[in-house]
């Protein structure tokens, strides 16, 4: 079974340029690391003037379709990667981070590390605005389309 979220996280974690743009997050009793989260930022991660740098949220797949042939199994997955930052800062860093995410995935299947398989297709669209319910936060989203083949 291939895990698209782990594949995306591994690719993001491997890019020093992107990581340098992000806020740091230290969970209670844990080590500080770049602010990359699955599904949502934790409740104790607070945006504001003291923490204006962006964070990344890897959303759950919005589409996951099986495919393949008699000899191979594939998954066609659509998944969003969202970037959020404190609205009081310039959106330049937010936009730069979102464009970097797009560039890391668009037409780059060979660059993806897939546990239990390989990436056959990787495309990215966006960034576009990611709506938020918090008026102090701005967001962007990049939509990924991944075709992952299981070993």
């Amino acid at each position: 079974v291939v895990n698209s979220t782990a594949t995306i996280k591994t690719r993001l974690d491997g890019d020093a340029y992107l990581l340098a743009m992000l806020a740091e997050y230290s969970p209670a009793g844990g080590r500080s690391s770049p602010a990359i989260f699955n599904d949502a930022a934790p409740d104790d991660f607070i945006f504001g003037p003291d923490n204006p740098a962006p964070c990344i949220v890897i959303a759950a797949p919005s589409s996951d379709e099986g495919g393949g042939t008699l000899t191979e199994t594939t998954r066609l997955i659509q998944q969003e990667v969202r970037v959020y930052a404190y609205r009081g800062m310039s959106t330049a860093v937010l936009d730069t981070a979102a464009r970097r995410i797009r560039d890391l995935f668009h037409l780059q299947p060979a660059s993806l590390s897939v546990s239990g398989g390989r990436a056959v297709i990787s495309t990215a669209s966006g960034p576009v605005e990611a709506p938020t319910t918090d008026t102090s936060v701005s967001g962007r989203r990049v939509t990924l389309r991944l075709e992952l083949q299981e070993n």
Side-chain angles (χ1 to χ4, degrees), residues 90-114:
S90 165
T91 58
V93 173
L94 182 66
D95 291 329
T96 300
R99 283 192 299 272
R100 181 65 177 183
I101 292 166
R102 181 190 182 284
D103 292 346
L104 288 171
F105 290 91
H106 190 63
L107 303 178
Q108 300 293 324
S111 299
L112 301 180
S113 174
V114 181

Side-chain angles (χ1 to χ4, degrees), residues 61-126:
S62 58
S63 172
D64 185 343
E65 300 173 17
T69 66
L70 291 173
T71 59
E72 62 184 37
T73 302
T74 60
R75 307 292 311 165
L76 182 58
I77 298 166
Q78 186 167 311
Q79 195 162 355
E80 289 184 355
V81 179
R82 301 174 187 149
V83 185
Y84 297 103
Y86 176 63
R87 190 177 292 274
M89 66 173 278
S90 165
T91 58
V93 173
L94 182 66
D95 291 329
T96 300
R99 283 192 299 272
R100 181 65 177 183
I101 292 166
R102 181 190 182 284
D103 292 346
L104 288 171
F105 290 91
H106 190 63
L107 303 178
Q108 300 293 324
S111 299
L112 301 180
S113 174
V114 181
S115 178
R118 69 182 183 94
V120 178
I121 296 172
S122 175
T123 60
S125 61

